[in-house]
Amino acid sequence: MRTARLRRAGARVATLFASLFIALTMAFALGRLSGDPTANILGPTAPPEQREALRQQLGLDRSLIVQYLDYLRGVFTGDLGESLQFYQANTTMIFERVPYTLQLVGAGMAIAVLVGIPLGVLAATREGTWWDRAASTLALLGQSVPVFWLGMMLVVLFAVKLGWLPAGQSGSPRHLVLPGVTMSLYPMAHIARLTRASMSEALAEPFVDSARARGIGPVRVVWRHAFKNALMPVLTIVVLQTGILLSGAVAIEYVYSWPGLGQLALQAVQFRDFPLVQAIVVFGAVVFVCLNLIVDVVHSVVDPRVR
């Protein structure tokens, strides 16, 4: 039994490292397909000799295999190179911006969990009623509305028309409200729909009928018996959605001028700063692999059958 568990854990870790390796390779390939960065650095009128000198300085005159091996060696030694645009170490710039993105993702996921789970439970416990239809409609709208459009509408209403909240930038908790609400919309809808489906299955199980027959109150039956058994897929999606938000915050950070990792990635793409783009992709891939490992650990803790 122990050998089988170790074999499964080893296979899972190998799969995650293979995914990480593929992500690193794709980041390198996309960086080389983005064009010659010397044109952006020196300008289109720079003489060919000057551009060739810069190519040699950046190592772009070497073969792709040599560049790729140097890139992998840098990744595994923690050296993610230097930005062509800002002339700073990419690792330093990423860790300066990560706290802002974490604030935004944390606020968005907190709102998504606090609203999405009760909404899903409400829909499951009142299945077929107008509560259920209203909650399901809200969840469907949440997954259909583009976050870019929603962000602009919230700015127009609450910042421009009403003047209640700042339109962008960071600095105080008030600056976090509008981008946090915008970021929470999609994961909240996803969590609500999954919670409803998972709770509906749990409420139909015989142990729930048994709990009711023993005279246990409806609130305790729902939250202590049914919800406990419906929790594992909800926890999984919360962790995975956190990874997706970390890697997909570009649009929201752009709308609200939020100085996070997404804003930095956008600037890097616009300048064809491929070392910085590669570094951000590497960082995102490592975070996503770590979150998948967390999901596995959470599964084994919540459901002993997974061990």
Side-chain angles (χ1 to χ4, degrees):
M1 179 67 76
R2 188 172 181 178
T3 305
R5 288 178 188 168
L6 289 174
R7 193 180 298 117
R8 281 198 299 271
R12 182 62 176 155
V13 171
T15 303
L16 291 175
F17 273 102
S19 304
L20 179 60
F21 180 76
I22 292 171
L24 298 182
T25 304
M26 289 181 65
F28 174 83
L30 291 174
R32 295 308 182 277
L33 291 173
S34 63
D36 187 358
T38 59
N40 273 16
I41 299 172
L42 299 175
T45 58
E49 298 80 11
Q50 192 175 357
R51 292 177 63 175
E52 184 57 30
L54 183 57
R55 283 176 58 81
Q56 292 179 7
Q57 181 184 341
L58 297 175
L60 298 176
D61 59 322
R62 296 175 298 170
S63 68
L64 282 177
I65 295 295
V66 174
Q67 291 183 48
Y68 180 63
L69 292 177
D70 283 346
Y71 160 71
L72 288 182
R73 184 167 54 248
V75 169
F76 287 107
T77 58
D79 179 12
L80 298 181
E82 186 176 284
S83 166
L84 302 178
Q85 181 181 8
F86 300 102
Y87 302 104
Q88 295 182 38
N90 291 324
T91 309
T92 304
M93 296 177 65
I94 289 173
F95 282 105
E96 284 176 353
R97 299 294 189 102
V98 162
Y100 292 100
T101 300
L102 288 180
Q103 286 179 29
L104 193 56
V105 171
M109 283 309 298
I111 296 171
V113 170
L114 291 175
V115 177
I117 288 180
L119 200 63
V121 172
L122 180 69
T125 53
R126 289 167 172 74
E127 197 169 344
T129 66
W130 71 270
W131 285 100
D132 181 21
R133 288 190 287 274
S136 299
T137 303
L138 283 175
L140 184 62
L141 283 174
Q143 287 189 295
S144 306
V145 175
V147 293
F148 190 83
W149 178 84
L150 176 69
M152 290 191 293
M153 292 301 102
L154 291 178
V155 167
V156 170
L157 179 59
F158 291 102
V160 178
K161 297 288 184 184
L162 300 175
W164 290 353
L165 293 165
Q169 300 290 336
S170 63
S172 70
R174 293 179 71 243
H175 289 82
L176 199 56
V177 175
L178 290 182
V181 169
T182 307
M183 181 160 270
S184 72
L185 184 67
Y186 186 84
M188 179 179 68
H190 202 161
I191 291 170
R193 296 187 73 176
L194 186 67
T195 303
R196 182 195 178 281
S198 189
M199 279 293 291
S200 294
E201 290 180 8
L203 288 170
E205 293 289 337
F207 68 86
V208 173
D209 295 331
S210 174
R212 286 172 176 153
R214 284 184 279 130
I216 298 175
V219 174
R220 194 174 174 186
V221 167
V222 168
W223 289 104
R224 186 163 182 178
H225 294 267
F227 183 68
K228 184 179 177 182
N229 285 273
L231 186 59
M232 194 167 73
V234 178
L235 284 177
T236 302
I237 204 64
V238 167
V239 177
L240 293 180
Q241 283 291 324
T242 302
I244 292 171
L245 291 186
L246 274 171
S247 58
V250 177
I252 295 173
E253 291 188 0
Y254 177 74
V255 170
Y256 292 101
S257 300
W258 191 262
L261 204 55
Q263 189 80 262
L264 184 65
L266 189 62
Q267 292 173 351
V269 170
Q270 289 173 336
F271 194 77
R272 293 183 183 172
D273 190 348
F274 71 89
L276 183 53
V277 174
Q278 284 176 179
I280 293 172
V281 172
V282 168
F283 177 80
V286 171
V287 169
F288 211 81
V289 167
C290 292
L291 288 173
N292 272 282
L293 284 174
I294 291 173
V295 168
D296 289 344
V297 173
V298 169
H299 274 194
S300 64
V301 170
V302 174
D303 189 352
R305 294 171 298 179
V306 179
R307 298 174 192 168

